[in-house]
C-alpha cells in the first residue's frame, strides 16, 4: 500500500483481471485492476475437480513459484490471516485525494504472512503481488499502488516491500485495497495466471 500526497490522486495500474473489464481500481463497473501490471486470475481453468481452491483465513496457500527473473525458481507461500473493510472516515483521513472517475471509495485491509520456502531470496513486494480482494458485489481489485509518499491507515503500516527474505524466513504485512463505498470484502484471492482459477479465502460476515 503505497500512497500519494493529497495533491495527487491515488492510482492503480489498469490491468484488468481475466474475464473482466474496466479501468481504474475500485470502480463500481471494474472487476479488478493490476498492481505493477501483474497478470490476473484466470479463464480457461485447467484445475482438476479435486484440487483445493478454497481456504480458511489462517491457512497457507500451496507453495507458489516466483515469476520474477531475479528470483527465478524460488518458492513461497501466502497466508491471509485477517481482513477488515474500512470506513469513509479512514479514507478521508488517509491523505489520499479521491479519484473522481472511480467515485467514493473505502479501504479494505488484508493482513498476511509471507513465507519464503526455497530458492533465491525474494522481495516482500514480489510475494504479495498476486493478492486480490473480491467484494460482496463482485468487484475484484488489486492492492493500492501509488507513486510516492505514504498513506495513513489505522493499524496497517506500509510494509517494507524491498526487504528480501531467505528460505525459511517469514514476514507479517498489511496491504491496503480500495473498493467502492458501500461494498464489503467477501474474499481474498491469490491469482495463478490465466490458466488456473485463483485460490480464495472467504471473509466471514
Amino acid at each position: 500500500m503505497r500512497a500519494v500526497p493529497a495533491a495527487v490522486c491515488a492510482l492503480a495500474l489498469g490491468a484488468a483481471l481475466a474475464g473482466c473489464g474496466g479501468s481504474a481500481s475500485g470502480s463500481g463497473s471494474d472487476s479488478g485492476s493490476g498492481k505493477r501490471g501483474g497478470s490476473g486470475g484466470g479463464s480457461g481453468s485447467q484445475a482438476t475437480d479435486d484440487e483445493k481452491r478454497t481456504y480458511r483465513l489462517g491457512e497457507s496457500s500451496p507453495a507458489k513459484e516466483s515469476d520474477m527473473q531475479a528470483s527465478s525458481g524460488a518458492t513461497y507461500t501466502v497466508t491471509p490471516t485477517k481482513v477488515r473493510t474500512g470506513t469513509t472516515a479512514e479514507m478521508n483521513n488517509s491523505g489520499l485525494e479521491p479519484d473522481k472517475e472511480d467515485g467514493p471509495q473505502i479501504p479494505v485491509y488484508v493482513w498476511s504472512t509471507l513465507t519464503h520456502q526455497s530458492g533465491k531470496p525474494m522481495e516482500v513486494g514480489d510475494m504479495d503481488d498476486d493478492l486480490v480482494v473480491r467484494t460482496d458485489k463482485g468487484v475484484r481489485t488489486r492492492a493500492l499502488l501509488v507513486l510516492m509518499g505514504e498513506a495513513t491507515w489505522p493499524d496497517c503500516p506500509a510494509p517494507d516491500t524491498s526487504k528480501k527474505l531467505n528460505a525459511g524466513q517469514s514476514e507479517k504485512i498489511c496491504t491496503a485495497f480500495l473498493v467502492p463505498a458501500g461494498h464489503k470484502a467477501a474474499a481474498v484471492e491469490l491469482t495463478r495466471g490465466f490458466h488456473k482459477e485463483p485460490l480464495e479465502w472467504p471473509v466471514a460476515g
Side-chain angles (χ1 to χ4, degrees), residues 76-117:
Y76 62 99
T77 57
V78 180
T79 309
T81 57
K82 177 183 174 183
V83 180
R84 183 173 73 82
T85 302
T87 65
T88 299
E90 290 172 355
M91 183 68 188
N92 292 341
N93 293 329
S94 69
L96 298 180
E97 181 73 17
D99 190 325
K100 294 181 180 179
E101 292 185 3
D102 287 340
Q105 293 180 305
I106 56 174
V108 168
Y109 311 110
V110 177
W111 287 266
S112 304
T113 300
L114 310 175
T115 303
H116 190 307
Q117 297 291 337

Side-chain angles (χ1 to χ4, degrees), residues 103-176:
Q105 293 180 305
I106 56 174
V108 168
Y109 311 110
V110 177
W111 287 266
S112 304
T113 300
L114 310 175
T115 303
H116 190 307
Q117 297 291 337
S118 65
K120 302 174 184 177
M122 284 194 70
E123 292 189 359
V124 165
D126 293 337
M127 299 170 78
D128 75 333
D129 194 42
D130 292 324
L131 284 176
V132 169
V133 162
R134 187 180 80 244
T135 75
D136 57 345
K137 297 181 182 179
V139 169
R140 299 168 72 226
T141 184
R142 288 185 183 270
L144 176 66
L145 174 67
V146 297
L147 301 180
M148 57 185 172
E150 293 183 356
T152 301
W153 306 112
D155 303 318
C156 188
D160 181 359
T161 57
S162 62
K163 180 178 179 178
K164 289 191 176 182
L165 300 183
N166 295 307
Q169 293 182 318
S170 297
E171 184 79 359
K172 294 181 179 181
I173 66 168
C174 181
T175 310

Side-chain angles (χ1 to χ4, degrees), residues 52-65 75-80 113-115 117 127 131 189-192 198-201:
K52 183 175 180 178
R53 296 193 296 272
T54 302
Y55 296 80
R56 298 187 309 272
L57 290 174
E59 280 191 292
S60 297
S61 71
K64 192 176 189 297
E65 188 168 328
T75 62
Y76 62 99
T77 57
V78 180
T79 309
T113 300
L114 310 175
T115 303
Q117 297 291 337
M127 299 170 78
L131 284 176
E189 297 182 348
L190 184 68
T191 63
R192 301 188 294 168
L199 305 179
E200 71 166 20
W201 289 258

Side-chain angles (χ1 to χ4, degrees), residues 7-18:
V8 184
C9 291
L11 300 176
L13 298 182
L17 296 174

